[in-house]
Amino acid sequence: MNLPVNHTGRFALCEARFEVQYSEVMSLSKYDSFQPKRATNIDGFFAKPVENRPRQPVFRSQPANPQHTPVTLRDMPKRSVPQSVLASTSQASISQPVMGGVPVGMPTERPRDRFRDRHAGLPPADDDKKARKRAKKEAKKQNKKHRSLGKKIALWSGAVVLVLVLLGGGFLYKNFSKITGNKNPFSLLSAFKPAHLDNQDGRVNILVAGNSADDVGHNGGDLTDSIMILSINTRNNTALMLSVPRDLWVDIPDVGHSKINAAYPNGGMDLLQQTVEENLGLTINYQVLVNYHAFQELVNAVGGITITIKSTDPRGIYDPSLDYTSRTCCALAKYPNGPVTLDGKQALNLARARGDAYGSYGFPAADFDRTQHQRDMLLAIKDKASSSSVIANPFKVANLVEAVGNNVKTDLQINEIETLYTYMKKIDNSKIDSYNINTLKGKGTTMLTGYTSPNGQSALIPAAGLDDFSDIQAQITKILTADAVTKEAATVVVLNGTDSTGLASKQIETLEGKGMDVTTGDAPAKQTASTVIDNSGGGMPNSLAYLKKKYGATVVTNAALVANYPSADFIVILGDNVAPKTSSTQ
């Protein structure tokens, strides 16, 4: 038998067989059984004897390839078979028995499926298993590679973080050890543990002294030309700064009478602390020594500061003295009134300027003006250092820490510094009062007077007399325990605008109890309601609120009364609303 040898011919022949067998079987349904037959060899396929055939053949689909949808002969489309192929096929081969929709002896996976899979770009079933194994193995390899890369990245990141932590810890330890004098590296760990601060009823008093020991060629560099008390109220988040004049003539223990700035060269900070406590009646809890270059480095570390010049001279301030580092140029200070921005060098020079050189102006209180500028700059540094522009910049923070480390010495420990910083962050600059001893009772008053020492030095002593600090001590105690109204120490003129005799004089005791300086008199005219004239320029809001509430007064203007009492912060005219009520008789 001559059959086509190409695969296409074979496939066509097979399909032809299937079609013929299917039609014959359907036509033989009238028979009760089928006898076993052996089909003629057709192109290498053989039919085997089949027994116990069902009465009616059931055609079930046989999957040819797991990757393709199973089909039955009934479902297969009709295809035309060339007559030459049908003619060359014997009747015996066409009548080959079938079972389950597939001729008996035919392979379940047809060659046609393999051919079609290969030409469609799909791997055979066996190849699919190998491909899946290879893909799974490759995916496992890739996952292992990614995990290995992730471990390497985590390892390097951890190493970098560890190095930064060690460097940062070393940097902090180096600077904190310089500040506190504590050489124990493990003490740095205590910074994370809150510390109890020494205090008096919640008030922490810190003695801050400044000298110029770092200035080469500066005579008297060891003298503490700046002495200040920083008092922090940890209960109500307020604070005050009190400057002690360097020329204050005091009795230094075991040294004798001298200017107070000579205590440090004779006995260090401990002797200076003892001198302050005995003469001013204060208990000092901690001490800090700062050299003047701290102003320069701190200001540069925070990127400059802005302060407001408030001179009584309309030209502002001017001190032509040359600074100690460049003696051939550059006056210490020359600024107009109003806001001025300073860099580190300018801040350092202003901290030294007191207007004692020929041609100076704007320093009517000399050293008192200098200490006022120092307090203003400290507040400006605090404000700038706590701003987000500095805190969020690690380089500025590092410069700030190094500036403190290079210029500050203290007996505060690391955890105490951290606790103190926490308190200071809560205090707004508007709640930090600024004083000097001479004007503790308010502007226009003085508590010190000039004195020439036995050895000819020009100094200052209490107005009450040599070594009589009782009045100063009482006033310091008052401002430390005073409320907001008492701290303002307003000057008040009370005028009686009613028919009630002595009404104004009766207010003296009450108002002076609030720290006010009171003067009384009669008003030029009677009035039914009390009024108050604010001549403080809005600088004493607490006192104004107190007077308005106490007398039920409204704020008015009166140029004539202001001209009559130019030094008064407030002028109160009492009206009938506060006069005693008289009972009428029938």
Side-chain angles (χ1 to χ4, degrees):
M1 178 172 59
N2 296 322
L3 295 177
V5 296
N6 59 71
H7 291 290
T8 305
R10 287 180 181 178
F11 298 157
L13 177 61
C14 289
E15 288 188 358
R17 291 199 198 111
F18 299 158
E19 293 293 338
V20 173
Q21 290 172 352
Y22 175 75
S23 59
E24 281 192 352
V25 169
M26 294 303 295
S27 63
L28 293 175
S29 60
K30 62 184 179 178
Y31 296 103
D32 292 333
S33 63
F34 296 93
Q35 297 300 319
K37 296 182 179 181
R38 183 175 181 84
T40 306
N41 183 348
I42 301 176
D43 195 25
F45 298 109
F46 296 91
K48 297 181 180 179
V50 180
E51 298 179 356
N52 299 326
R53 290 175 177 265
R55 293 178 60 86
Q56 179 69 29
V58 179
F59 295 87
R60 291 187 298 270
S61 61
Q62 297 292 333
N65 191 311
Q67 292 188 354
H68 299 284
T69 306
V71 294
T72 64
L73 291 175
R74 182 178 301 178
D75 296 329
M76 293 179 61
K78 301 294 184 179
R79 296 183 60 182
S80 61
V81 181
Q83 293 296 324
S84 60
V85 175
L86 294 175
S88 62
T89 305
S90 66
Q91 181 65 30
S93 64
I94 294 177
S95 60
Q96 179 181 351
V98 297
M99 184 174 184
V102 179
V104 176
M106 292 290 288
T108 58
E109 182 178 80
R110 294 173 295 179
R112 177 175 178 270
D113 293 328
R114 288 183 175 272
F115 176 80
R116 182 173 57 197
D117 291 342
R118 290 193 182 97
H119 283 267
L122 300 174
D126 294 340
D127 294 343
D128 285 350
K129 293 180 180 179
K130 294 179 180 180
R132 284 195 296 270
K133 288 182 178 180
R134 285 195 299 271
K136 186 176 181 180
K137 185 177 181 180
E138 185 66 23
K140 186 176 181 180
K141 183 178 180 181
Q142 290 295 329
N143 290 337
K144 185 176 181 180
K145 183 177 180 181
H146 287 313
R147 287 196 299 269
S148 177
L149 179 61
K151 289 180 180 179
K152 290 181 180 178
I153 293 174
L155 182 62
W156 280 105
S157 299
V160 171
V161 171
L162 179 60
V163 170
L164 291 176
V165 169
L166 291 176
L167 289 176
F171 175 78
L172 291 175
Y173 165 70
K174 180 189 73 172
N175 285 284
F176 276 114
S177 64
K178 289 192 293 184
I179 295 169
T180 63
N182 189 338
K183 303 301 182 181
N184 182 2
F186 295 101
S187 64
L188 189 62
L189 300 176
S190 66
F192 304 100
K193 181 180 179 180
H196 170 76
L197 296 177
D198 294 341
N199 65 92
Q200 296 79 46
D201 296 326
R203 185 171 289 279
V204 181
N205 296 327
I206 303 170
L207 173 63
V208 183
N211 63 13
S212 299
D214 57 323
D215 274 354
V216 178
H218 179 201
N219 294 329
D222 286 334
L223 298 173
T224 51
D225 286 345
S226 293
I227 303 172
M228 185 185 304
I229 309 299
L230 173 62
S231 184
I232 302 169
N233 191 327
T234 60
R235 294 182 177 178
N236 60 13
N237 297 326
T238 61
L240 65 85
M241 294 185 295
L242 172 64
S243 290
V244 180
R246 66 174 190 171
D247 294 333
L248 186 63
W249 192 259
V250 296
D251 185 10
I252 301 175
D254 300 326
V255 174
H257 282 82
S258 181
K259 290 183 179 180
I260 195 171
N261 66 348
Y264 176 78
N266 283 281
M269 288 297 292
D270 289 339
L271 182 58
L272 177 60
Q273 176 177 331
Q274 183 181 355
T275 303
V276 169
E277 289 180 332
E278 290 184 4
N279 289 277
L280 302 185
L282 279 169
T283 298
I284 301 298
N285 303 114
Y286 300 100
Q287 49 188 240
V288 177
L289 177 65
V290 184
N291 69 54
Y292 269 97
H293 270 290
F295 278 107
Q296 181 172 350
E297 294 189 24
L298 288 172
V299 170
N300 285 337
V302 299
I305 59 173
T306 300
I307 67 170
T308 302
I309 302 298
K310 302 175 183 178
S311 173
T312 55
D313 192 303
R315 296 171 294 178
I317 60 174
Y318 176 52
D319 186 338
S321 303
L322 301 180
D323 66 52
Y324 294 107
T325 58
S326 56
R327 298 174 182 274
T328 59
C329 72
C330 311
L332 287 180
K334 187 176 182 180
Y335 301 107
N337 287 320
V340 295
T341 300
L342 308 173
D343 61 19
K345 184 64 175 177
Q346 293 168 330
L348 174 60
N349 286 340
L350 182 58
R352 289 172 169 154
R354 54 179 179 171
D356 56 354
Y358 177 77
S360 298
Y361 59 78
F363 290 86
D367 191 56
F368 296 118
D369 291 322
R370 181 176 71 98
T371 57
Q372 178 64 57
H373 293 149
Q374 291 173 358
R375 296 194 299 272
D376 291 343
M377 286 190 289
L378 286 175
L379 289 177
I381 292 171
K382 169 192 171 293
D383 192 49
K384 191 71 175 287
S386 59
S387 65
S388 58
S389 62
V390 173
I391 294 176
N393 189 326
F395 297 102
K396 288 186 177 181
V397 172
N399 290 336
L400 193 61
V401 172
E402 190 163 19
V404 174
N406 290 337
N407 297 283
V408 177
K409 300 290 185 295
T410 181
D411 60 352
L412 284 157
Q413 295 306 305
I414 294 177
N415 55 346
E416 292 174 327
I417 293 174
E418 171 64 22
T419 303
L420 191 64
Y421 172 72
T422 302
Y423 283 122
M424 289 300 296
K425 284 195 305 182
K426 301 177 183 179
I427 303 176
D428 186 80
N429 283 1
S430 62
K431 295 184 178 180
I432 302 178
D433 299 318
S434 180
Y435 299 94
N436 68 66
I437 287 181
N438 193 43
T439 55
L440 275 176
K441 286 187 175 181
K443 65 180 182 179
T445 66
T446 57
M447 302 196 73
L448 299 173
T449 187
Y451 174 75
T452 301
S453 70
N455 59 3
Q457 295 186 67
S458 178
L460 295 168
I461 62 172
L466 181 64
D467 294 335
D468 188 355
F469 285 90
S470 57
D471 195 18
I472 293 175
Q473 291 177 5
Q475 196 63 32
I476 290 175
T477 302
K478 186 175 182 179
I479 64 171
L480 289 176
T481 59
D483 59 17
V485 175
T486 305
K487 290 179 180 179
E488 290 177 348
T491 301
V492 181
V493 174
V494 181
L495 302 178
N496 186 1
T498 71
D499 292 329
S500 179
T501 304
L503 181 60
S505 300
K506 294 177 182 179
Q507 312 305 313
I508 295 177
E509 184 177 356
T510 302
L511 296 181
E512 286 185 344
K514 296 296 292 184
M516 297 179 177
D517 185 10
V518 184
T519 303
T520 61
D522 291 327
K526 305 298 182 184
Q527 60 184 47
T528 58
S530 298
T531 57
V532 59
I533 300 166
D534 183 4
N535 198 33
S536 69
M540 299 181 178
N542 298 297
S543 298
L544 178 60
Y546 172 79
L547 294 172
K548 287 172 61 178
K549 181 178 180 180
K550 178 171 178 59
Y551 299 113
T554 57
V555 179
V556 299
T557 58
N558 191 317
L561 287 178
V562 171
N564 291 336
Y565 305 99
S567 62
D569 296 315
F570 300 99
I571 302 171
V572 179
I573 304 114
L574 301 178
D576 290 336
N577 65 308
V578 295
K581 302 300 181 182
T582 57
S583 58
S584 59
T585 57
Q586 298 295 333

